[in-house]
Amino acid sequence: MPSSQYPKLPHWMALPETKEDLDYAQLPAVDLDEATTALGRAKLSKQVVDALVQCGSFYVVNHGYSSTQMDRMHDIANLPFEQLSMGQKQDYTTDSRRRESKSLTDGYKFRQYYV
């Protein structure tokens, strides 16, 4: 699939890994190789629920995306953070700290929102 079919986007570059000795969270991995059978999917659904309840997040392995596809997804995901104006971001902001929203996940959150 030629990349000329898609709009050109600024390329997102990950920051270099820190040299600090940090206590990182150990996120559970969900292996999609197990999704080929009904039993495997049932096992995966329990793993996902457990991961979200216990850790709030997880990462996926053996998803089948190429590095080129992953790069494109990162480029797209970065657009709202780097390419929208402050006014555009403000249009989608909800300040749940002031009870304007019932959910902590509603709306755009500016940097250092949770500080």
Side-chain angles (χ1 to χ4, degrees), residues 30-45 47-48 60-64:
V30 173
D31 186 346
L32 292 187
D33 265 353
E34 299 186 45
T36 57
T37 66
L39 185 60
R41 288 187 295 277
K43 180 181 170 185
L44 286 175
S45 66
Q47 285 178 344
V48 167
V60 178
V61 297
N62 294 318
H63 44 67

Side-chain angles (χ1 to χ4, degrees), residues 77-115:
N78 190 50
L79 279 175
F81 298 103
E82 300 296 331
Q83 301 298 313
L84 295 181
S85 71
M86 196 61 76
Q88 289 171 303
K89 292 176 188 177
Q90 190 69 43
D91 289 342
Y92 295 97
T93 300
T94 301
D95 191 345
S96 58
R97 294 174 297 186
R98 292 185 290 162
R99 303 285 183 206
E100 292 176 13
S101 170
K102 294 181 172 130
S103 170
L104 290 175
T105 59
D106 286 352
Y108 181 83
K109 306 296 186 289
F110 289 98
R111 287 190 171 132
Q112 299 183 358
Y113 174 84
Y114 294 105
V115 172

